[in-house]
Amino acid sequence: MEALVCRKLGDPTVSVEEDNSPVIVSKNHPIPQLDSPTAVRVRIKATSLNFANYLQILGKYQEKPPLPFIPGSDFSGIVDSVGSKVTNF
């Protein structure tokens, strides 16, 4: 899958073409596996990056995911896999 990956904290306005960019575009990022019986995986069709994601990449947001991470929280897509205990969503 293709993904924008934050590999280190820093200025997200630096071009991904530059070596010091905190983000890279991964063309062959592994598809995440379901890690719990209540997990749902969505094949993303559209997403947005917003100010909260900007702060996250800077390391200034209240939620600090471990590196590397894929920024973003607003998306739309198609559910392509569900855990064994998912019956409704």
Side-chain angles (χ1 to χ4, degrees), residues 18-36:
E18 295 185 34
D19 289 338
N20 63 337
S21 175
V23 294
I24 60 168
V25 177
S26 173
K27 299 285 187 179
N28 57 357
H29 198 75
I31 296 173
Q33 299 302 307
L34 298 180
D35 58 0
S36 85

Side-chain angles (χ1 to χ4, degrees), residues 15-72:
S15 171
V16 296
E17 307 295 323
E18 295 185 34
D19 289 338
N20 63 337
S21 175
V23 294
I24 60 168
V25 177
S26 173
K27 299 285 187 179
N28 57 357
H29 198 75
I31 296 173
Q33 299 302 307
L34 298 180
D35 58 0
S36 85
T38 58
V40 175
R41 185 175 63 215
V42 177
R43 183 177 299 269
I44 306 298
K45 296 293 185 182
T47 188
S48 68
L49 294 174
N50 54 43
F51 189 64
N53 306 124
Y54 174 79
L55 292 174
Q56 223 175 17
I57 296 168
L58 283 172
K60 296 182 177 182
Y61 195 66
Q62 62 262 27
E63 296 174 13
K64 295 176 176 50
L67 293 168
F69 66 89
I70 298 173

Side-chain angles (χ1 to χ4, degrees), residues 5-21:
V5 179
C6 179
R7 59 190 174 146
K8 64 182 180 180
L9 300 179
D11 182 358
T13 64
V14 174
S15 171
V16 296
E17 307 295 323
E18 295 185 34
D19 289 338
N20 63 337
S21 175

